[in-house]
Amino acid sequence: MTEAATTTTTPSLNKFEKFKAEKDGLAVKAEIEKFASLGWEAMDETDRDHRLKWMGVFFRPVTPGKFMMRLRMPNGILSCEQMRVLAEVIQRYGDDACADITTRQNIQLRGIRIEDLPNIFDKFRAVGLTSVQSGMDNVRNITGDPLAGLDADELFDTRELVQQIQDMITNQGEGNPEFSNLPRKFNIAITGGRDNSVHAEINDLAFVPAFKEGQGEESEQKFGFNVLVGGFFSAKRCDAAIPLNAWVPPEDVVALCRAVLEVFRDRGLRANRQKSRLMWLIDEWGLEKFRAEVEKQFGKSLISAAAHDEIDWEKRDHIGVYKQKQPGLNYVGLHVPVGRLYAEDMFEIARLAEVYGSGEIRMTVEQNFVIPNIPDSRLEVFLTEDLLNKFTINPKPLTRSLVSCTGAQFCNFALIETKNRALAMIKALEAELELTRPVRIHWTGCPNSCGQPQVADIGLMGTKARKNGKAVDGVDIYMGGKVGKEAQLGTCVTKGVPCEDLQLVLRELLIEHFGARLPQPATV
Ligand code: SRM
Ligand code: SF4
């Protein structure tokens, strides 16, 4: 680290900076065996509640002793072999355990016991899985287009780049002390498609496809990426990413990620955790200075951005059956209600991917998954598989686009329960309304916005409301989120709606703004 980084660890810093300075989060990697024999109750609390997150292991105060594990899944892709390992890990905990597909194309496992960690990490290593640096002040799962390499209209296949960025940041999944003490979390997304499948605008650093006019003798247009910086959601502030006025060819993407991360690591603000995300540094310096510092770290001049990017489609959700660019092959998107999986589902998903496809499974940021590479000749039989009754390719319009964060069942930040409530509410609304198109409803249990209510048609953020003089579960309602081309964040339109009144309020919104109708009485 540079001098600037070391001078930031002064005694006036917040408690997170202090414990990071005392002992790096990654140090717990060498202590997993020790923790396993000690047990969670005897462990040092800072190691247990905070530093273990550097290994992707999250203490859950709501279910003490039953940890959550957050994987890394570059570009949202995993193999059936990896999926089976994840299923085996949670299977041993019976009804206590489940898994969730996350809003960053990733999987989290629940119910994990500390004594099993050495064995779990061995299993992960054997199939090339890693959970390293997936929580706390680290770079989160790097998202990419779930159709990379499949979509006839894509401009660039991002898979290799995403893997290279992850390898650079995590030292091939082993853990990298170079990037284990950032001022705060950091999100990276890269897309080579036309529909902004990754929500580029809500990432600290995003790469979107753009052609640059050739210069001098090179008159041909060159493919690369326009760079966006500073997008983030937090309880206090939410901002869409802004253009850095930089364009990079694919071969420079990894180096630019490194440069931006180094600037953030060494110069990012560390005093107040509410003001430590990248955008706060950009604000403090101004974009010009930030760009100049990145350029210095990058070691060569940044090329100015292409005049426009190639994000010119509405966002797709990938649910259903679609032709791939490879003749005779199809990808099928299955809908997973609020992303919740159980061990038996995961074994089945792995089996279907192996028997009908190429063994690959791809997660989406809508908490669903895609099985690619199913030949025409196998498609019909695939569609008769039992699992498609649970994870359908033809969900009802509100169910189809429902997204929900973890909520009170497992998350101690939650102000309300989300996943089960979201499903029950959508079912009730679908029973009483006729809808002709999907409406994207996102639930999030608190202002941290993990469920991204600001990108939704209707976003619901957990809060405490008042009804008849009593505090009750409630939501703030967001509207106007636009995804895909010309993405825009939604804003809060109504505060403090009690959950018990919400069905009625949503019914009215769906009728007024989204063309929903109450069934007409039959005429005689
Ligand atoms: Fe998140 C903290 C779950 C995506 C913003 N998030 C948490 C914690 C770790 C809090 C905790 O320790 O309990 C939650 C774990 C609960 C649990 O048991 O699952 C949690 N976040 C999630 C997931 C699982 C939601 C989901 O159901 O999909 C997502 C995991 C993604 C992944 O695979 O890595 C998840 N979180 C997000 C997103 C969405 C995104 O990245 O597109 C955001 C908003 C975007 C952003 O970060 O700019 C998000 N999570 C936060 C924040 C607010 C960050 C801030 O700067 O203030 C916190 C709180 C914090 O970091 O202090 C947080
Ligand atoms: Fe937990 Fe709040 Fe994130 Fe939901 S939004 S997972 S309740 S931190």
Side-chain angles (χ1 to χ4, degrees):
M1 243 193 238
T2 67
E3 199 186 326
T6 44
T7 53
T8 53
T9 49
T10 61
S12 66
L13 294 176
N14 66 63
K15 73 164 186 174
F16 293 86
E17 288 302 324
K18 277 190 195 144
F19 81 66
K20 288 192 293 176
E22 278 161 25
K23 172 178 167 186
D24 189 80
L26 266 186
V28 297
K29 184 177 177 192
E31 297 176 278
I32 296 295
E33 296 273 357
K34 186 180 85 188
F35 298 153
S37 48
L38 262 182
W40 67 273
E41 282 162 303
M43 274 181 72
D44 171 78
E45 273 187 28
T46 312
D47 285 344
R48 184 191 68 195
D49 300 357
H50 299 298
R51 292 195 190 96
L52 266 181
K53 292 179 184 171
W54 269 257
M55 292 304 290
V57 179
F58 291 60
F59 179 70
R60 299 291 72 201
V62 181
T63 57
K66 297 172 191 169
F67 288 75
M68 180 270 275
M69 277 189 96
R70 179 185 285 167
L71 277 292
R72 299 194 74 92
M73 226 146 267
N75 215 121
I77 301 178
L78 80 165
S79 68
C80 55
E81 198 188 13
Q82 292 172 328
M83 182 63 108
R84 259 185 221 114
V85 163
L86 299 181
E88 279 165 19
V89 166
I90 58 168
Q91 189 184 36
R92 67 180 98 175
Y93 305 119
D95 292 345
D96 259 4
C98 61
D100 287 312
I101 306 176
T102 77
T103 50
R104 292 199 71 79
Q105 272 184 319
N106 195 6
I107 290 184
Q108 293 186 166
L109 306 178
R110 299 189 185 280
I112 308 296
R113 310 299 199 273
I114 196 112
E115 58 272 24
D116 297 329
L117 283 182
N119 170 263
I120 292 172
F121 283 123
D122 285 347
K123 279 170 166 283
F124 284 1
R125 205 166 297 118
V127 294
L129 277 171
T130 183
S131 58
V132 80
Q133 288 169 264
S134 58
M136 281 298 289
D137 297 349
N138 286 290
V139 180
R140 296 289 184 275
N141 193 46
I142 300 159
T143 54
D145 200 314
L147 301 186
L150 311 175
D151 180 5
D153 295 298
E154 89 180 339
L155 299 159
F156 189 84
D157 177 350
T158 52
R159 286 174 294 177
E160 216 177 295
L161 265 186
V162 173
Q163 184 69 54
Q164 285 169 3
I165 301 168
Q166 169 165 311
D167 287 347
M168 180 267 289
I169 291 164
T170 65
N171 179 27
Q172 274 71 31
E174 290 299 320
N176 184 358
E178 272 189 293
F179 296 115
S180 63
N181 185 1
L182 301 176
R184 205 66 163 88
K185 72 186 286 195
F186 195 90
N187 290 329
I188 302 180
I190 170 162
T191 176
R194 294 183 173 278
D195 73 337
N196 189 11
S197 61
V198 293
H199 297 308
E201 70 284 4
I202 63 171
N203 284 265
D204 297 273
L205 176 59
F207 296 87
V208 295
F211 288 98
K212 188 81 184 164
E213 293 300 329
Q215 274 153 18
E217 287 180 8
E218 284 182 45
S219 56
E220 266 184 31
Q221 286 200 322
K222 259 199 96 180
F223 176 79
F225 300 93
N226 274 353
V227 182
L228 307 175
V229 286
F232 81 117
F233 297 159
S234 73
K236 291 267 176 285
R237 177 180 172 190
C238 297
D239 265 316
I242 54 173
L244 180 66
N245 185 22
W247 175 93
V248 278
E251 59 274 20
D252 281 350
V253 167
V254 179
L256 188 65
C257 284
R258 173 174 271 282
V260 172
L261 280 172
E262 285 170 350
V263 169
F264 180 54
R265 178 194 66 194
D266 297 347
R267 312 291 298 278
L269 312 177
R270 289 174 184 258
N272 177 352
R273 266 184 93 71
Q274 297 300 331
K275 297 188 174 179
S276 294
R277 294 291 293 271
L278 182 69
M279 188 61 112
W280 291 98
L281 177 67
I282 299 172
D283 275 359
E284 176 148 314
W285 279 355
L287 189 64
E288 276 315 301
K289 174 168 176 190
F290 176 73
R291 189 179 185 279
E293 292 293 331
V294 168
E295 194 165 52
K296 217 189 287 170
Q297 205 68 26
F298 188 48
K300 59 180 175 182
S301 296
L302 283 169
I303 301 169
S304 58
H308 61 89
D309 62 43
E310 300 298 320
I311 302 290
D312 48 12
W313 285 12
E314 297 303 329
K315 190 171 188 315
R316 297 166 290 176
D317 66 9
H318 313 306
I319 303 288
V321 179
Y322 302 90
K323 292 272 166 224
Q324 288 178 205
K325 72 175 173 194
Q326 296 82 3
L329 292 181
N330 307 274
Y331 67 89
V332 181
L334 284 78
H335 179 264
V336 181
V338 291
R340 176 64 44 90
L341 300 171
Y342 294 91
E344 61 271 25
D345 301 327
M346 293 156 79
F347 283 121
E348 258 316 86
I349 295 169
R351 185 182 71 78
L352 297 194
E354 189 164 46
V355 169
Y356 295 95
S358 55
E360 195 177 279
I361 305 144
R362 298 178 175 209
M363 306 299 139
T364 70
V365 295
E366 285 84 15
Q367 303 175 319
N368 301 311
F369 70 92
V370 167
I371 298 185
N373 301 320
I374 304 180
D376 290 343
S377 59
R378 313 279 292 140
L379 189 57
E380 208 175 315
V381 194
F382 172 81
L383 296 175
T384 64
E385 284 282 354
D386 269 357
L387 192 72
L388 277 80
N389 295 322
K390 180 168 186 186
F391 299 149
T392 167
I393 59 162
N394 197 14
K396 290 185 175 169
L398 295 182
T399 305
R400 182 177 185 124
S401 305
L402 184 63
V403 168
S404 173
C405 84
T406 306
Q409 190 183 2
F410 297 109
C411 179
N412 57 305
F413 286 123
L415 297 169
I416 61 166
E417 203 285 316
T418 50
K419 284 199 191 258
N420 293 315
R421 178 177 259 144
L423 276 175
M425 180 77 64
I426 288 307
K427 230 173 162 185
L429 286 165
E430 280 176 338
E432 61 176 2
L433 289 172
E434 286 171 357
L435 284 123
T436 50
R437 63 180 171 103
V439 181
R440 295 174 310 101
I441 300 182
H442 285 221
W443 286 72
T444 208
C446 80
N448 283 330
S449 299
C450 306
Q452 311 154 326
Q454 303 84 348
V455 307
D457 292 319
I458 302 177
L460 304 168
M461 180 186 286
T463 186
K464 288 295 168 205
R466 289 204 81 73
K467 182 151 184 179
N468 304 329
K470 278 206 258 159
V472 293
D473 281 4
V475 292
D476 292 341
I477 301 182
Y478 284 67
M479 287 186 72
K482 180 163 176 348
V483 293
K485 68 174 177 181
E486 288 151 24
Q488 254 181 3
L489 301 186
T491 50
C492 183
V493 292
T494 313
K495 279 183 126 28
V497 177
C499 286
E500 53 201 88
D501 301 336
L502 188 58
Q503 188 176 336
L504 192 66
V505 174
L506 288 178
R507 184 205 294 160
E508 294 309 312
L509 287 179
L510 289 165
I511 292 173
E512 196 183 330
H513 298 278
F514 301 97
R517 294 192 326 175
L518 291 165
Q520 303 299 307
T523 45
V524 273

